[in-house]
mmCIF file of all heavy atoms in Angstrom:
data_model
loop_
_atom_site.group_PDB
_atom_site.id
_atom_site.type_symbol
_atom_site.label_atom_id
_atom_site.label_comp_id
_atom_site.label_asym_id
_atom_site.label_seq_id
_atom_site.Cartn_x
_atom_site.Cartn_y
_atom_site.Cartn_z
ATOM 1 N N PRO A 1830 -27.333 -35.048 -7.281
ATOM 2 C CA PRO A 1830 -27.712 -36.302 -6.784
ATOM 3 C C PRO A 1830 -28.361 -37.136 -7.881
ATOM 4 O O PRO A 1830 -29.011 -36.629 -8.774
ATOM 5 C CB PRO A 1830 -28.717 -35.982 -5.647
ATOM 6 C CG PRO A 1830 -29.257 -34.643 -6.072
ATOM 7 C CD PRO A 1830 -28.089 -33.916 -6.741
ATOM 8 N N ILE A 1831 -28.256 -38.455 -7.802
ATOM 9 C CA ILE A 1831 -28.834 -39.316 -8.817
ATOM 10 C C ILE A 1831 -30.298 -39.559 -8.430
ATOM 11 O O ILE A 1831 -30.572 -40.167 -7.471
ATOM 12 C CB ILE A 1831 -28.058 -40.666 -8.962
ATOM 13 C CG1 ILE A 1831 -26.605 -40.372 -9.388
ATOM 14 C CG2 ILE A 1831 -28.706 -41.576 -9.844
ATOM 15 C CD1 ILE A 1831 -25.726 -41.590 -9.400
ATOM 16 N N SER A 1832 -31.170 -39.085 -9.332
ATOM 17 C CA SER A 1832 -32.579 -39.234 -9.074
ATOM 18 C C SER A 1832 -33.158 -40.524 -9.597
ATOM 19 O O SER A 1832 -34.053 -41.201 -9.065
ATOM 20 C CB SER A 1832 -33.418 -38.102 -9.749
ATOM 21 O OG SER A 1832 -33.166 -38.091 -11.108
ATOM 22 N N ASN A 1833 -32.628 -41.012 -10.760
ATOM 23 C CA ASN A 1833 -33.075 -42.223 -11.398
ATOM 24 C C ASN A 1833 -31.918 -43.044 -11.934
ATOM 25 O O ASN A 1833 -30.971 -42.441 -12.474
ATOM 26 C CB ASN A 1833 -34.042 -41.860 -12.597
ATOM 27 C CG ASN A 1833 -35.331 -41.243 -12.178
ATOM 28 O OD1 ASN A 1833 -36.313 -41.969 -12.004
ATOM 29 N ND2 ASN A 1833 -35.371 -39.948 -11.998
ATOM 30 N N VAL A 1834 -32.057 -44.311 -11.823
ATOM 31 C CA VAL A 1834 -31.079 -45.260 -12.451
ATOM 32 C C VAL A 1834 -31.875 -46.139 -13.418
ATOM 33 O O VAL A 1834 -32.861 -46.740 -13.002
ATOM 34 C CB VAL A 1834 -30.298 -46.162 -11.453
ATOM 35 C CG1 VAL A 1834 -29.286 -47.009 -12.156
ATOM 36 C CG2 VAL A 1834 -29.707 -45.252 -10.355
ATOM 37 N N VAL A 1835 -31.411 -46.276 -14.641
ATOM 38 C CA VAL A 1835 -32.091 -47.073 -15.683
ATOM 39 C C VAL A 1835 -31.355 -48.429 -15.722
ATOM 40 O O VAL A 1835 -30.148 -48.438 -15.907
ATOM 41 C CB VAL A 1835 -32.072 -46.393 -17.019
ATOM 42 C CG1 VAL A 1835 -32.811 -47.307 -18.063
ATOM 43 C CG2 VAL A 1835 -32.773 -45.056 -17.001
ATOM 44 N N MET A 1836 -32.149 -49.535 -15.585
ATOM 45 C CA MET A 1836 -31.640 -50.876 -15.726
ATOM 46 C C MET A 1836 -31.940 -51.342 -17.130
ATOM 47 O O MET A 1836 -33.154 -51.463 -17.464
ATOM 48 C CB MET A 1836 -32.271 -51.817 -14.719
ATOM 49 C CG MET A 1836 -31.708 -53.233 -14.786
ATOM 50 S SD MET A 1836 -32.637 -54.358 -13.647
ATOM 51 C CE MET A 1836 -34.108 -54.740 -14.623
ATOM 52 N N THR A 1837 -30.907 -51.581 -17.921
ATOM 53 C CA THR A 1837 -31.242 -52.009 -19.345
ATOM 54 C C THR A 1837 -31.916 -53.397 -19.369
ATOM 55 O O THR A 1837 -32.799 -53.661 -20.220
ATOM 56 C CB THR A 1837 -29.990 -52.071 -20.217
ATOM 57 O OG1 THR A 1837 -29.020 -52.947 -19.690
ATOM 58 C CG2 THR A 1837 -29.320 -50.682 -20.302
ATOM 59 N N HIS A 1838 -31.417 -54.308 -18.557
ATOM 60 C CA HIS A 1838 -32.089 -55.637 -18.400
ATOM 61 C C HIS A 1838 -31.577 -56.309 -17.151
ATOM 62 O O HIS A 1838 -30.695 -55.849 -16.523
ATOM 63 C CB HIS A 1838 -31.922 -56.463 -19.629
ATOM 64 C CG HIS A 1838 -30.455 -56.775 -19.984
ATOM 65 N ND1 HIS A 1838 -29.562 -55.865 -20.360
ATOM 66 C CD2 HIS A 1838 -29.864 -57.977 -20.057
ATOM 67 C CE1 HIS A 1838 -28.405 -56.351 -20.597
ATOM 68 N NE2 HIS A 1838 -28.535 -57.718 -20.451
ATOM 69 N N HIS A 1839 -32.228 -57.405 -16.813
ATOM 70 C CA HIS A 1839 -32.095 -57.975 -15.480
ATOM 71 C C HIS A 1839 -30.780 -58.871 -15.298
ATOM 72 O O HIS A 1839 -30.469 -59.253 -14.197
ATOM 73 C CB HIS A 1839 -33.262 -58.893 -15.143
ATOM 74 C CG HIS A 1839 -33.299 -60.195 -15.997
ATOM 75 N ND1 HIS A 1839 -33.814 -60.185 -17.311
ATOM 76 C CD2 HIS A 1839 -32.926 -61.441 -15.768
ATOM 77 C CE1 HIS A 1839 -33.691 -61.413 -17.843
ATOM 78 N NE2 HIS A 1839 -33.173 -62.163 -16.916
ATOM 79 N N HIS A 1840 -30.101 -59.122 -16.383
ATOM 80 C CA HIS A 1840 -28.885 -59.984 -16.265
ATOM 81 C C HIS A 1840 -27.953 -59.401 -15.195
ATOM 82 O O HIS A 1840 -27.732 -58.207 -15.138
ATOM 83 C CB HIS A 1840 -28.176 -60.121 -17.604
ATOM 84 C CG HIS A 1840 -28.918 -60.883 -18.573
ATOM 85 N ND1 HIS A 1840 -28.483 -61.075 -19.898
ATOM 86 C CD2 HIS A 1840 -30.136 -61.541 -18.520
ATOM 87 C CE1 HIS A 1840 -29.384 -61.854 -20.518
ATOM 88 N NE2 HIS A 1840 -30.355 -62.140 -19.721
ATOM 89 N N ALA A 1841 -27.335 -60.287 -14.396
ATOM 90 C CA ALA A 1841 -26.694 -59.882 -13.165
ATOM 91 C C ALA A 1841 -25.534 -58.940 -13.440
ATOM 92 O O ALA A 1841 -25.276 -58.033 -12.657
ATOM 93 C CB ALA A 1841 -26.200 -61.129 -12.445
ATOM 94 N N ASP A 1842 -24.788 -59.178 -14.533
ATOM 95 C CA ASP A 1842 -23.668 -58.233 -14.813
ATOM 96 C C ASP A 1842 -24.122 -56.872 -15.259
ATOM 97 O O ASP A 1842 -23.264 -55.964 -15.302
ATOM 98 C CB ASP A 1842 -22.723 -58.857 -15.839
ATOM 99 C CG ASP A 1842 -23.364 -59.092 -17.211
ATOM 100 O OD1 ASP A 1842 -24.509 -59.481 -17.178
ATOM 101 O OD2 ASP A 1842 -22.721 -58.797 -18.216
ATOM 102 N N HIS A 1843 -25.463 -56.653 -15.452
ATOM 103 C CA HIS A 1843 -25.931 -55.310 -15.820
ATOM 104 C C HIS A 1843 -26.838 -54.726 -14.723
ATOM 105 O O HIS A 1843 -27.284 -53.617 -14.853
ATOM 106 C CB HIS A 1843 -26.654 -55.386 -17.163
ATOM 107 C CG HIS A 1843 -25.801 -55.673 -18.226
ATOM 108 N ND1 HIS A 1843 -24.977 -54.729 -18.914
ATOM 109 C CD2 HIS A 1843 -25.495 -56.861 -18.951
ATOM 110 C CE1 HIS A 1843 -24.316 -55.257 -19.862
ATOM 111 N NE2 HIS A 1843 -24.592 -56.558 -19.912
ATOM 112 N N SER A 1844 -27.079 -55.466 -13.651
ATOM 113 C CA SER A 1844 -28.077 -55.011 -12.683
ATOM 114 C C SER A 1844 -27.605 -55.066 -11.256
ATOM 115 O O SER A 1844 -28.248 -54.513 -10.275
ATOM 116 C CB SER A 1844 -29.399 -55.760 -12.833
ATOM 117 O OG SER A 1844 -29.157 -57.165 -12.535
ATOM 118 N N ALA A 1845 -26.529 -55.853 -10.946
ATOM 119 C CA ALA A 1845 -26.226 -56.140 -9.594
ATOM 120 C C ALA A 1845 -25.651 -55.030 -8.769
ATOM 121 O O ALA A 1845 -25.397 -55.181 -7.554
ATOM 122 C CB ALA A 1845 -25.250 -57.309 -9.542
ATOM 123 N N GLY A 1846 -25.394 -53.900 -9.415
ATOM 124 C CA GLY A 1846 -24.947 -52.701 -8.675
ATOM 125 C C GLY A 1846 -26.069 -51.721 -8.260
ATOM 126 O O GLY A 1846 -25.841 -50.741 -7.625
ATOM 127 N N LEU A 1847 -27.313 -52.104 -8.612
ATOM 128 C CA LEU A 1847 -28.378 -51.181 -8.357
ATOM 129 C C LEU A 1847 -28.737 -50.925 -6.905
ATOM 130 O O LEU A 1847 -29.138 -49.815 -6.562
ATOM 131 C CB LEU A 1847 -29.703 -51.778 -9.034
ATOM 132 C CG LEU A 1847 -29.787 -51.666 -10.581
ATOM 133 C CD1 LEU A 1847 -30.894 -52.514 -11.146
ATOM 134 C CD2 LEU A 1847 -30.032 -50.165 -10.918
ATOM 135 N N ARG A 1848 -28.563 -51.960 -6.057
ATOM 136 C CA ARG A 1848 -28.950 -51.755 -4.649
ATOM 137 C C ARG A 1848 -28.224 -50.634 -4.001
ATOM 138 O O ARG A 1848 -28.738 -50.000 -3.098
ATOM 139 C CB ARG A 1848 -28.623 -53.103 -3.919
ATOM 140 C CG ARG A 1848 -29.585 -54.221 -4.287
ATOM 141 C CD ARG A 1848 -29.239 -55.529 -3.571
ATOM 142 N NE ARG A 1848 -29.021 -55.352 -2.126
ATOM 143 C CZ ARG A 1848 -30.004 -55.527 -1.197
ATOM 144 N NH1 ARG A 1848 -31.227 -55.992 -1.639
ATOM 145 N NH2 ARG A 1848 -29.720 -55.457 0.086
ATOM 146 N N THR A 1849 -27.012 -50.343 -4.460
ATOM 147 C CA THR A 1849 -26.233 -49.191 -3.839
ATOM 148 C C THR A 1849 -26.965 -47.899 -4.103
ATOM 149 O O THR A 1849 -26.943 -47.028 -3.195
ATOM 150 C CB THR A 1849 -24.845 -49.145 -4.547
ATOM 151 O OG1 THR A 1849 -24.242 -50.464 -4.443
ATOM 152 C CG2 THR A 1849 -23.960 -48.147 -3.838
ATOM 153 N N PHE A 1850 -27.591 -47.748 -5.234
ATOM 154 C CA PHE A 1850 -28.251 -46.469 -5.559
ATOM 155 C C PHE A 1850 -29.652 -46.425 -4.947
ATOM 156 O O PHE A 1850 -30.068 -45.362 -4.552
ATOM 157 C CB PHE A 1850 -28.358 -46.360 -7.087
ATOM 158 C CG PHE A 1850 -26.986 -46.227 -7.707
ATOM 159 C CD1 PHE A 1850 -26.447 -47.299 -8.250
ATOM 160 C CD2 PHE A 1850 -26.334 -45.022 -7.737
ATOM 161 C CE1 PHE A 1850 -25.137 -47.259 -8.887
ATOM 162 C CE2 PHE A 1850 -25.033 -44.906 -8.305
ATOM 163 C CZ PHE A 1850 -24.465 -46.034 -8.898
ATOM 164 N N VAL A 1851 -30.293 -47.609 -4.800
ATOM 165 C CA VAL A 1851 -31.541 -47.619 -4.016
ATOM 166 C C VAL A 1851 -31.306 -47.192 -2.635
ATOM 167 O O VAL A 1851 -32.184 -46.479 -2.022
ATOM 168 C CB VAL A 1851 -32.155 -49.003 -4.123
ATOM 169 C CG1 VAL A 1851 -33.431 -49.143 -3.253
ATOM 170 C CG2 VAL A 1851 -32.531 -49.388 -5.569
ATOM 171 N N ALA A 1852 -30.233 -47.594 -2.055
ATOM 172 C CA ALA A 1852 -29.886 -47.225 -0.656
ATOM 173 C C ALA A 1852 -29.725 -45.718 -0.501
ATOM 174 O O ALA A 1852 -29.871 -45.216 0.592
ATOM 175 C CB ALA A 1852 -28.631 -47.972 -0.208
ATOM 176 N N ARG A 1853 -29.484 -45.034 -1.617
ATOM 177 C CA ARG A 1853 -29.259 -43.562 -1.570
ATOM 178 C C ARG A 1853 -30.557 -42.843 -2.049
ATOM 179 O O ARG A 1853 -30.484 -41.655 -2.327
ATOM 180 C CB ARG A 1853 -28.086 -43.208 -2.360
ATOM 181 C CG ARG A 1853 -26.740 -43.571 -1.666
ATOM 182 C CD ARG A 1853 -25.580 -43.750 -2.563
ATOM 183 N NE ARG A 1853 -24.340 -43.994 -1.828
ATOM 184 C CZ ARG A 1853 -24.013 -45.193 -1.285
ATOM 185 N NH1 ARG A 1853 -24.816 -46.200 -1.402
ATOM 186 N NH2 ARG A 1853 -22.878 -45.264 -0.566
ATOM 187 N N GLY A 1854 -31.616 -43.603 -2.260
ATOM 188 C CA GLY A 1854 -32.888 -42.979 -2.527
ATOM 189 C C GLY A 1854 -33.205 -42.842 -4.020
ATOM 190 O O GLY A 1854 -34.247 -42.171 -4.314
ATOM 191 N N ALA A 1855 -32.420 -43.338 -4.906
ATOM 192 C CA ALA A 1855 -32.711 -43.249 -6.313
ATOM 193 C C ALA A 1855 -33.831 -44.151 -6.719
ATOM 194 O O ALA A 1855 -34.043 -45.262 -6.227
ATOM 195 C CB ALA A 1855 -31.485 -43.580 -7.119
ATOM 196 N N ALA A 1856 -34.685 -43.695 -7.664
ATOM 197 C CA ALA A 1856 -35.666 -44.576 -8.273
ATOM 198 C C ALA A 1856 -35.044 -45.433 -9.351
ATOM 199 O O ALA A 1856 -34.045 -44.982 -9.974
ATOM 200 C CB ALA A 1856 -36.825 -43.738 -8.885
ATOM 201 N N VAL A 1857 -35.574 -46.613 -9.591
ATOM 202 C CA VAL A 1857 -35.007 -47.525 -10.575
ATOM 203 C C VAL A 1857 -36.048 -47.644 -11.731
ATOM 204 O O VAL A 1857 -37.169 -48.120 -11.450
ATOM 205 C CB VAL A 1857 -34.667 -48.868 -10.027
ATOM 206 C CG1 VAL A 1857 -34.066 -49.800 -11.078
ATOM 207 C CG2 VAL A 1857 -33.626 -48.723 -8.862
ATOM 208 N N VAL A 1858 -35.625 -47.396 -12.957
ATOM 209 C CA VAL A 1858 -36.487 -47.504 -14.127
ATOM 210 C C VAL A 1858 -36.215 -48.932 -14.728
ATOM 211 O O VAL A 1858 -35.019 -49.279 -15.015
ATOM 212 C CB VAL A 1858 -36.113 -46.459 -15.160
ATOM 213 C CG1 VAL A 1858 -37.049 -46.688 -16.374
ATOM 214 C CG2 VAL A 1858 -36.382 -45.092 -14.609
ATOM 215 N N VAL A 1859 -37.265 -49.696 -14.744
ATOM 216 C CA VAL A 1859 -37.143 -51.112 -15.265
ATOM 217 C C VAL A 1859 -38.279 -51.379 -16.202
ATOM 218 O O VAL A 1859 -39.263 -50.654 -16.269
ATOM 219 C CB VAL A 1859 -37.270 -52.174 -14.097
ATOM 220 C CG1 VAL A 1859 -36.185 -51.947 -13.096
ATOM 221 C CG2 VAL A 1859 -38.659 -52.049 -13.444
ATOM 222 N N ALA A 1860 -38.131 -52.366 -17.073
ATOM 223 C CA ALA A 1860 -39.253 -52.819 -17.874
ATOM 224 C C ALA A 1860 -40.317 -53.467 -16.987
ATOM 225 O O ALA A 1860 -40.010 -54.039 -15.918
ATOM 226 C CB ALA A 1860 -38.727 -53.811 -18.962
ATOM 227 N N LYS A 1861 -41.559 -53.356 -17.420
ATOM 228 C CA LYS A 1861 -42.620 -53.958 -16.647
ATOM 229 C C LYS A 1861 -42.435 -55.439 -16.445
ATOM 230 O O LYS A 1861 -42.737 -56.020 -15.322
ATOM 231 C CB LYS A 1861 -43.977 -53.839 -17.426
ATOM 232 C CG LYS A 1861 -45.212 -54.303 -16.692
ATOM 233 C CD LYS A 1861 -45.549 -53.473 -15.503
ATOM 234 C CE LYS A 1861 -46.760 -53.853 -14.813
ATOM 235 N NZ LYS A 1861 -47.111 -53.037 -13.631
ATOM 236 N N GLU A 1862 -41.786 -56.106 -17.397
ATOM 237 C CA GLU A 1862 -41.514 -57.535 -17.302
ATOM 238 C C GLU A 1862 -40.611 -57.911 -16.107
ATOM 239 O O GLU A 1862 -40.621 -59.034 -15.615
ATOM 240 C CB GLU A 1862 -40.874 -58.051 -18.569
ATOM 241 C CG GLU A 1862 -41.807 -58.136 -19.794
ATOM 242 C CD GLU A 1862 -41.982 -56.797 -20.466
ATOM 243 O OE1 GLU A 1862 -41.571 -55.714 -19.953
ATOM 244 O OE2 GLU A 1862 -42.639 -56.775 -21.540
ATOM 245 N N SER A 1863 -39.778 -57.021 -15.616
ATOM 246 C CA SER A 1863 -38.852 -57.363 -14.508
ATOM 247 C C SER A 1863 -39.227 -56.563 -13.233
ATOM 248 O O SER A 1863 -38.493 -56.747 -12.215
ATOM 249 C CB SER A 1863 -37.420 -56.986 -14.944
ATOM 250 O OG SER A 1863 -37.279 -55.694 -15.322
ATOM 251 N N GLU A 1864 -40.317 -55.911 -13.147
ATOM 252 C CA GLU A 1864 -40.679 -55.117 -11.961
ATOM 253 C C GLU A 1864 -40.735 -56.012 -10.707
ATOM 254 O O GLU A 1864 -40.134 -55.740 -9.696
ATOM 255 C CB GLU A 1864 -41.931 -54.403 -12.173
ATOM 256 C CG GLU A 1864 -42.413 -53.537 -10.983
ATOM 257 C CD GLU A 1864 -43.694 -52.826 -11.227
ATOM 258 O OE1 GLU A 1864 -44.428 -53.142 -12.132
ATOM 259 O OE2 GLU A 1864 -43.991 -51.976 -10.315
ATOM 260 N N ALA A 1865 -41.533 -57.093 -10.788
ATOM 261 C CA ALA A 1865 -41.713 -57.972 -9.639
ATOM 262 C C ALA A 1865 -40.424 -58.618 -9.156
ATOM 263 O O ALA A 1865 -40.071 -58.689 -8.040
ATOM 264 C CB ALA A 1865 -42.776 -58.960 -9.904
ATOM 265 N N PHE A 1866 -39.645 -59.138 -10.184
ATOM 266 C CA PHE A 1866 -38.386 -59.735 -9.896
ATOM 267 C C PHE A 1866 -37.411 -58.752 -9.186
ATOM 268 O O PHE A 1866 -36.830 -59.107 -8.178
ATOM 269 C CB PHE A 1866 -37.699 -60.292 -11.229
ATOM 270 C CG PHE A 1866 -36.343 -60.783 -10.973
ATOM 271 C CD1 PHE A 1866 -36.159 -62.103 -10.346
ATOM 272 C CD2 PHE A 1866 -35.225 -60.172 -11.477
ATOM 273 C CE1 PHE A 1866 -34.903 -62.592 -10.199
ATOM 274 C CE2 PHE A 1866 -33.944 -60.707 -11.301
ATOM 275 C CZ PHE A 1866 -33.810 -61.890 -10.677
ATOM 276 N N MET A 1867 -37.309 -57.557 -9.676
ATOM 277 C CA MET A 1867 -36.330 -56.599 -9.112
ATOM 278 C C MET A 1867 -36.804 -56.119 -7.701
ATOM 279 O O MET A 1867 -36.030 -55.873 -6.860
ATOM 280 C CB MET A 1867 -36.114 -55.463 -10.047
ATOM 281 C CG MET A 1867 -35.364 -55.792 -11.349
ATOM 282 S SD MET A 1867 -33.791 -56.703 -11.019
ATOM 283 C CE MET A 1867 -32.901 -55.528 -10.089
ATOM 284 N N ARG A 1868 -38.135 -56.094 -7.520
ATOM 285 C CA ARG A 1868 -38.599 -55.620 -6.208
ATOM 286 C C ARG A 1868 -38.131 -56.756 -5.195
ATOM 287 O O ARG A 1868 -37.754 -56.428 -4.083
ATOM 288 C CB ARG A 1868 -40.147 -55.510 -6.235
ATOM 289 C CG ARG A 1868 -40.667 -54.754 -5.056
ATOM 290 C CD ARG A 1868 -42.224 -54.517 -5.132
ATOM 291 N NE ARG A 1868 -42.555 -53.646 -6.244
ATOM 292 C CZ ARG A 1868 -42.345 -52.340 -6.253
ATOM 293 N NH1 ARG A 1868 -41.881 -51.757 -5.171
ATOM 294 N NH2 ARG A 1868 -42.731 -51.596 -7.306
ATOM 295 N N ASP A 1869 -38.256 -58.039 -5.609
ATOM 296 C CA ASP A 1869 -37.784 -59.123 -4.750
ATOM 297 C C ASP A 1869 -36.310 -58.930 -4.401
ATOM 298 O O ASP A 1869 -35.811 -59.182 -3.292
ATOM 299 C CB ASP A 1869 -38.009 -60.410 -5.347
ATOM 300 C CG ASP A 1869 -39.533 -60.815 -5.322
ATOM 301 O OD1 ASP A 1869 -40.298 -60.218 -4.587
ATOM 302 O OD2 ASP A 1869 -39.863 -61.792 -6.101
ATOM 303 N N MET A 1870 -35.514 -58.592 -5.460
ATOM 304 C CA MET A 1870 -34.037 -58.415 -5.306
ATOM 305 C C MET A 1870 -33.716 -57.300 -4.324
ATOM 306 O O MET A 1870 -32.756 -57.383 -3.595
ATOM 307 C CB MET A 1870 -33.396 -58.216 -6.636
ATOM 308 C CG MET A 1870 -33.491 -59.306 -7.694
ATOM 309 S SD MET A 1870 -32.851 -60.928 -7.075
ATOM 310 C CE MET A 1870 -34.378 -61.719 -6.498
ATOM 311 N N PHE A 1871 -34.576 -56.238 -4.349
ATOM 312 C CA PHE A 1871 -34.266 -55.089 -3.502
ATOM 313 C C PHE A 1871 -34.682 -55.368 -2.059
ATOM 314 O O PHE A 1871 -34.296 -54.558 -1.116
ATOM 315 C CB PHE A 1871 -34.984 -53.816 -4.025
ATOM 316 C CG PHE A 1871 -34.453 -53.371 -5.383
ATOM 317 C CD1 PHE A 1871 -35.299 -52.810 -6.254
ATOM 318 C CD2 PHE A 1871 -33.080 -53.576 -5.675
ATOM 319 C CE1 PHE A 1871 -34.852 -52.382 -7.502
ATOM 320 C CE2 PHE A 1871 -32.598 -53.137 -6.905
ATOM 321 C CZ PHE A 1871 -33.440 -52.572 -7.886
ATOM 322 N N THR A 1872 -35.460 -56.406 -1.793
ATOM 323 C CA THR A 1872 -35.900 -56.662 -0.440
ATOM 324 C C THR A 1872 -35.349 -58.005 0.098
ATOM 325 O O THR A 1872 -35.720 -58.485 1.194
ATOM 326 C CB THR A 1872 -37.449 -56.741 -0.360
ATOM 327 O OG1 THR A 1872 -37.944 -57.617 -1.365
ATOM 328 C CG2 THR A 1872 -38.062 -55.303 -0.665
#
Side-chain angles (χ1 to χ4, degrees):
I1831 295 174
S1832 61
N1833 292 267
V1834 184
V1835 180
M1836 180 187 83
T1837 60
H1838 59 297
H1839 70 280
H1840 291 176
D1842 60 319
H1843 293 279
S1844 64
L1847 283 165
R1848 288 175 53 93
T1849 308
F1850 297 98
V1851 174
R1853 287 157 175 77
V1857 180
V1858 179
V1859 300
K1861 185 68 175 178
E1862 288 81 352
S1863 54
E1864 180 183 11
F1866 174 73
M1867 292 309 300
R1868 196 174 297 281
D1869 287 344
M1870 297 302 98
F1871 295 145
T1872 56

